[in-house]
Amino acid sequence: TGSYLDFAASNDATLAFPDGDNDPGEGSFVVALVQSDAPSGTTEDTQAIVSKADSGGFALEIDQSPSSVLRFGVRVDGSYSYATRSTSALETDELQMVMGSFDGNGRIRLWLDGTDSGVTESASITGGVDTNDSPIRIGADPEGGTNSRFHFDGQIQLISVHRWRNH
């Protein structure tokens, strides 16, 4: 187990890291070790685990609309695309490894505890992830440089964000 950060959607807790956009043509590879306290919903329709999705970037999140899914998405050429998986496999009593990837040329991928079983990948897309001037936020989605929304309800032990190119 070990140490973790405990986020409560009701208190708007979040951590911000400096803006770090990708180079043109690059994608993202994101790893998170998380435990959701509310995989089937909170008062917010979306709970961002880690995000830079303020009209650009990427998002690893739980979304309730129209159905409850874990998803990883990127914004390319002005539109978001996602890989999704039902939240039915999310545990409320143990940490789970979640990984999402997009290399700038292909599909968006998502894994839960090392498997992509039950995942619906995006259609094939090409292009770098759109840039923005927002920070990477852990536990929420950025709104500009200082505000946040879509707060996560659960524990986060590890976040790793990488620039990733087609290889």
Side-chain angles (χ1 to χ4, degrees), residues 116-134:
D116 63 358
S117 176
V119 171
T120 302
E121 294 178 4
S122 72
S124 184
I125 54 177
T126 302
V129 175
D130 293 350
T131 61
N132 62 30
D133 291 325
S134 295

Side-chain angles (χ1 to χ4, degrees), residues 4 17-19 21 32 35 42 46 49 64 82 87 89-91 100 115 120 131 157-158 160-161 165-166:
Y4 55 83
F17 291 87
D19 178 19
D21 289 315
Q35 177 182 321
T42 65
T46 303
I49 298 167
Q64 310 304 320
Y82 297 94
T87 58
L90 290 178
E91 302 291 338
T115 181
T120 302
T131 61
Q157 188 174 51
L158 170 99
S160 183
V161 177
R165 290 185 183 264
N166 184 15

Side-chain angles (χ1 to χ4, degrees), residues 43-97:
T43 57
E44 299 190 52
D45 285 339
T46 303
Q47 298 178 64
I49 298 167
V50 58
S51 180
K52 187 178 172 21
D54 187 16
S55 297
F58 65 87
L60 178 61
E61 58 196 10
I62 297 169
D63 187 66
Q64 310 304 320
S65 178
S67 61
S68 187
V69 294
L70 174 67
R71 68 185 187 180
F72 177 72
V74 296
R75 187 169 191 236
V76 175
D77 293 329
S79 297
Y80 285 100
S81 297
Y82 297 94
T84 63
R85 187 182 199 288
S86 168
T87 58
S88 63
L90 290 178
E91 302 291 338
T92 59
D93 60 352
E94 67 182 58
L95 291 163
Q96 292 179 281
M97 182 72 70

